[in-house]
Amino acid sequence: MKFLDQAKIYIRSGNGGAGAVSFRREKFIPNGGPDGGDGGTGGHVWIEAVDGLNTLIDYRYQQHFKAQTGGHGMGRNMHGAKGEDVILRVPVGTQVLDEDKETVLLDMDEAGKSELLLRGGNGGWGNNRFKGPVNQAPKHANPGQEGQERAIWLRLKLIADIGLAGLPNAGKSTFLAAASAARPKIADYPFTTLAPNLGMVDLSPGERFVIADIPGLIEGASEGAGLGTRFLGHVERSASLIHLIDGTQADVVEAWRIIRHELDAYGEGLADKTELLALNKIDALSQEEREEKSAALEAASGKRPWLVSGVSGEGVAELLRAAWAEVRKTRGEIDDAGDDVQPVGAWTP
């Protein structure tokens, strides 16, 4: 299924049904009086966050959604039926933005969350509503109220526990394939990943978390270079980041600084997220090169990088255990001072 993370749609609630003008006409009842019923309320427009979706592709092929008009009133005081509602089902993590594409109206960040976007028009009153001692035979009724309409943007920000960040060709997709059952496209050229991929990591039946593979960033991404800021928004939802550095490149420190600068420039709290720094592709490095590049990264970042290889699986389990500890901190299961990190055990990527 093609990934789509933003879409513009047009929504309209239903008009209210018109009230009826009717008089009771029955044998032996000469003064039956008015009996026109009210019109029904127009249908509402709702939005609901549901599990099982991770793309807005459904809104590529249909952009206009209109709720049903309420039923018209009838004689014998029969009221019109309520118009059928429209329910927009979106992935968890979808934001509803105004037409300016900046003002956030709603944030559908929980499965099952449902919000009213537009209310349907009220139904018109029938002539039975207007009878009184002065006007005992009213010959008028109200039309239904007009529905509301507007254009909105839907923008999906994937909800993942851990986000994978790094330059193009840093080995993020290979790492995701080694750590989960996800099978992203893997190739030996930059920008292989053009859309985010999600993978579920199963360390044990009770230890599960979601990793998001974000397309590679380049210098200037926060200003629109490369794939630009479009996919940086998916990292906003991640509790922590795994920052992968290609160990086979000459200057690993510069690679780290480029991504850190882009995270700082983008804002939205990305720079404040916990970062698990990992030197990737160590299967292609000698022991001396591993130590040299690891020491350089530690001197620049102030933290000892994890040594991993998505190809051989070396170090992947240890890094995932550290990531799981960060996920538990975010969920409030352990505090920041806790050392409740379980051993690797028998799990292998």
Side-chain angles (χ1 to χ4, degrees):
M1 181 181 293
K2 186 175 180 181
F3 181 82
L4 184 71
D5 64 347
Q6 59 184 16
K8 184 178 184 180
I9 61 173
Y10 302 87
I11 54 176
R12 194 182 196 287
S13 59
N15 297 334
V21 176
S22 175
F23 293 91
R24 185 177 182 186
R25 305 286 187 185
E26 294 183 51
K27 190 175 182 182
F28 306 122
I29 304 179
N31 300 315
D35 67 350
D38 300 339
T41 304
H44 308 317
V45 179
W46 298 82
I47 187 168
E48 181 182 5
V50 298
D51 283 326
L53 295 178
N54 59 6
T55 175
L56 296 172
I57 190 63
D58 292 339
Y59 300 98
R60 166 68 62 84
Y61 305 108
Q62 182 180 357
Q63 292 89 32
H64 296 263
F65 298 87
K66 183 181 183 300
Q68 189 179 34
T69 299
H72 300 311
M74 292 177 285
R76 298 187 178 182
N77 289 314
M78 290 190 291
H79 301 321
K82 181 185 179 301
E84 187 175 348
D85 294 344
V86 165
I87 301 177
L88 307 176
R89 292 179 173 84
V90 297
V92 178
T94 300
Q95 290 182 327
V96 181
L97 283 70
D98 204 352
E99 195 171 5
D100 61 8
K101 211 176 178 180
E102 294 181 359
T103 306
V104 178
L105 304 176
L106 293 171
D107 193 354
M108 311 301 292
D109 55 354
E110 295 180 6
K113 185 175 182 179
S114 181
E115 297 287 349
L116 180 64
L117 291 176
L118 295 180
R119 184 176 296 277
N122 292 326
W125 282 359
N127 67 337
N128 185 46
R129 293 270 194 170
F130 297 99
K131 67 182 180 181
V134 175
N135 186 5
Q136 297 183 7
K139 297 181 180 180
H140 68 277
N142 285 346
Q145 188 180 36
E146 289 286 327
Q148 302 170 317
E149 61 179 326
R150 71 183 306 174
I152 58 173
W153 280 89
L154 301 178
R155 181 174 66 190
L156 173 61
K157 291 184 178 180
L158 294 176
I159 294 182
D161 298 299
I162 301 292
L164 288 179
L167 290 171
N169 225 29
K172 300 184 294 300
S173 297
T174 304
F175 179 84
L176 181 68
S180 69
R183 291 296 175 262
K185 182 180 179 181
I186 299 172
D188 59 351
Y189 54 83
F191 293 111
T192 305
T193 302
L194 297 177
N197 294 301
L198 288 178
M200 176 68 75
V201 177
D202 284 306
L203 297 176
S204 72
E207 299 173 309
R208 291 183 171 186
F209 61 94
V210 179
I211 288 186
D213 171 20
I214 308 301
L217 306 175
I218 65 173
E219 190 171 5
S222 59
E223 300 174 357
L227 294 176
T229 61
R230 178 168 180 178
F231 296 123
L232 272 171
H234 296 290
V235 188
E236 291 180 35
R237 303 282 192 180
S238 303
S240 306
L241 299 177
I242 293 179
H243 185 173
L244 291 181
I245 305 293
D246 183 358
T248 61
Q249 59 188 357
D251 194 346
V252 293
V253 174
E254 181 62 19
W256 173 78
R257 284 176 176 161
I258 288 175
I259 298 300
R260 289 305 307 176
H261 173 74
E262 297 309 319
L263 295 179
D264 289 337
Y266 181 79
E268 303 295 336
L270 296 190
D272 300 328
K273 294 185 182 295
T274 302
E275 179 190 49
L276 298 174
L277 186 59
L279 185 66
N280 197 19
K281 303 183 182 181
I282 61 172
D283 57 291
L285 302 178
S286 64
Q287 186 62 36
E288 182 179 352
E289 289 174 320
R290 293 184 184 187
E291 295 175 358
E292 178 185 346
K293 294 186 176 183
S294 177
L297 279 175
E298 184 176 8
S301 65
K303 62 187 74 173
R304 185 72 176 175
W306 299 84
L307 302 181
V308 299
S309 170
V311 173
S312 66
E314 182 180 356
V316 173
E318 289 81 357
L319 177 56
L320 292 178
R321 281 291 174 187
W324 171 241
E326 294 299 329
V327 172
R328 295 186 66 195
K329 290 178 185 177
T330 304
R331 296 176 180 175
E333 297 177 4
I334 58 176
D335 56 24
D336 291 339
D339 56 352
D340 189 18
V341 180
Q342 301 180 12
V344 175
W347 186 89
T348 56

